[in-house]
Amino acid sequence: MRRLPILICSIGMLARAGYVSSATITVNTTEPGIYADELCSFAEAVENVNEGDVHSDCVAGGDGLNIIEFGQGETYLQRDGDGYDFLGGLTLINGNGSTFDAMNEEDQWGPLLIFEDTIISDLTIKGANFEYGAIWAWGRLYLNRCTFLNNRTGVRSERDDVLQITDSAFLSNGIAIDSDLGSTVIAQNTDFFSFSKAIYGPFYSAFDHLCVVTLLECAVNGNQDGIWVVTLEIRNSTVTNNGTGVTANSGVVENCTLSDNSVGVRLSAITIGGERPRFEIRSSTVTRSTGWGVYVGGGGGGIAHIRDSTIHENETGLYGLADR
């Protein structure tokens, strides 16, 4: 089994990587606001992470790694009309099986706005009715054992940032992951079941910063469109019951099953920087597509390189140039 170089995991790993814990802030009330009641709310914890010793109800934040600890299995509500902006340094949020409920609010910035490196584990985030995501990430974001449920967009990752996901699920979101120019998305053992698009990246004929997505041991099922990105590496995964299963300009599908999609694999074949796009399908099965099994389009002279794979029982097997 191939494993990803995920930063998430343990405080010990972070310490070995040079991050020193400066504060552990325990959230001991589910009330969303700021009150002088000797109880530490999530809002107060975030402001102490950002600014140090703002609220005496919580432990003061520090200059190193700040850890926010939620209670076990609690439900935390978004405060009225305002999200939570992380402006400080590296932050680790231990959800401990709790739920953050955005309550379908349409606030300006979204429930969680990330500007610095942030690690979130064991947390369910639901009910965010915001175009730019339940989490809008302008810094590196690492998600471990998280669930995104019934959000308009799960995570929005901005340009040149890294989003890493392990052992998580995106369920019934509008778009699970919206990745901007230059962003890198890496996911392992994660399920994507959404109403619109599972993973969506910008798709233009010429730009310098490309969106790169890597999926290992993932399931992309039941979406209007599965994956729509520039560069894709997907291995040991299933892509089933989507509109178009995979749309990409270059990359590889390896040891995967793509079945019951309208189109299994769509290669857009747009020439970027003068280079002919290359897409490989290796040791995979593309079957029961209601349209094309493999579609190679565009005017960039792209070719699908198909090796040790089965393309069968599709309405139409292959369109465009392919090297088999």
Side-chain angles (χ1 to χ4, degrees):
M1 178 185 297
R2 181 177 177 182
R3 300 299 297 179
L4 293 175
I6 298 293
L7 177 60
I8 314 169
C9 291
S10 68
I11 301 301
M13 287 184 63
L14 291 168
R16 288 193 294 274
Y19 296 105
V20 178
S21 175
S22 58
T24 297
I25 306 173
T26 299
V27 177
N28 56 15
T29 177
T30 60
E31 290 295 325
I34 295 175
Y35 308 99
D37 56 2
E38 298 184 355
L39 296 175
C40 181
S41 69
F42 184 42
E44 293 167 329
V46 170
E47 292 192 5
N48 274 19
V49 166
N50 293 339
E51 302 178 40
D53 190 9
V54 179
H55 302 287
S56 59
D57 292 343
C58 302
V59 172
D63 294 331
L65 168 66
N66 288 288
I67 303 168
I68 295 179
E69 290 280 354
F70 280 1
Q72 295 282 344
E74 300 282 1
T75 296
Y76 298 84
L77 303 180
Q78 180 176 346
R79 54 183 171 178
D80 292 339
D82 199 3
Y84 300 92
D85 302 349
F86 284 87
L87 308 176
L90 179 67
T91 303
L92 169 63
I93 302 175
N94 282 328
N96 293 314
S98 288
T99 297
F100 179 83
D101 189 348
M103 301 172 58
N104 208 35
E105 290 280 349
E106 296 188 57
D107 58 275
Q108 183 178 5
W109 300 114
L112 297 175
L113 182 60
I114 306 298
F115 283 98
E116 300 290 344
D117 294 358
T118 303
I119 304 165
I120 303 175
S121 64
D122 299 296
L123 182 67
T124 294
I125 301 176
K126 71 175 187 177
N129 186 18
F130 179 62
E131 179 181 359
Y132 292 132
I135 299 179
W136 191 6
W138 290 82
R140 289 179 293 182
L141 175 63
Y142 306 88
L143 302 172
N144 188 32
R145 297 188 302 272
C146 290
T147 298
F148 289 78
L149 179 64
N150 295 331
N151 301 290
R152 182 174 173 183
T153 299
V155 178
R156 164 80 174 184
S157 180
E158 291 296 337
R159 65 174 61 217
D160 298 324
D161 287 315
V162 175
L163 169 62
Q164 291 192 359
I165 309 164
T166 53
D167 303 326
S168 296
F170 291 78
L171 307 175
S172 300
N173 299 277
I175 297 175
I177 296 174
D178 187 359
S179 52
D180 196 14
L181 301 178
S183 62
T184 298
V185 179
I186 305 172
Q188 182 161 14
N189 194 31
T190 294
D191 294 337
F192 299 91
F193 183 94
S194 298
F195 289 148
S196 179
K197 291 179 173 64
I199 302 176
Y200 177 76
F203 220 97
Y204 304 109
S205 59
F207 47 79
D208 294 329
H209 300 281
L210 306 182
C211 169
V212 179
V213 173
T214 300
L215 302 180
L216 302 177
E217 300 159 355
C218 291
V220 181
N221 301 327
N223 305 281
Q224 292 180 17
D225 283 302
I227 305 164
W228 184 291
V229 295
V230 176
T231 303
L232 172 69
E233 176 185 342
I234 179 170
R235 304 177 192 273
N236 306 319
S237 299
T238 60
V239 182
T240 61
N241 291 306
N242 303 284
T244 300
V246 168
T247 299
N249 199 60
S250 61
V252 61
V253 172
E254 185 173 16
N255 294 323
C256 293
T257 298
L258 298 93
S259 67
D260 301 288
N261 304 289
S262 62
V263 177
V265 178
R266 179 174 178 264
L267 173 59
S268 291
I270 300 171
T271 298
I272 298 176
E275 295 185 5
R276 175 179 293 185
R278 177 184 179 87
F279 198 92
E280 299 183 17
I281 302 174
R282 301 198 294 256
S283 304
S284 296
T285 299
V286 182
T287 187
R288 296 195 301 274
S289 302
T290 58
W292 301 101
V294 177
Y295 181 95
V296 183
I303 300 176
H305 299 268
I306 304 174
R307 300 287 186 269
D308 301 319
S309 296
T310 301
I311 315 293
H312 75 144
E313 296 182 3
N314 303 285
E315 182 67 23
T316 306
L318 173 65
Y319 175 86
L321 297 177
D323 173 10
R324 305 185 71 171

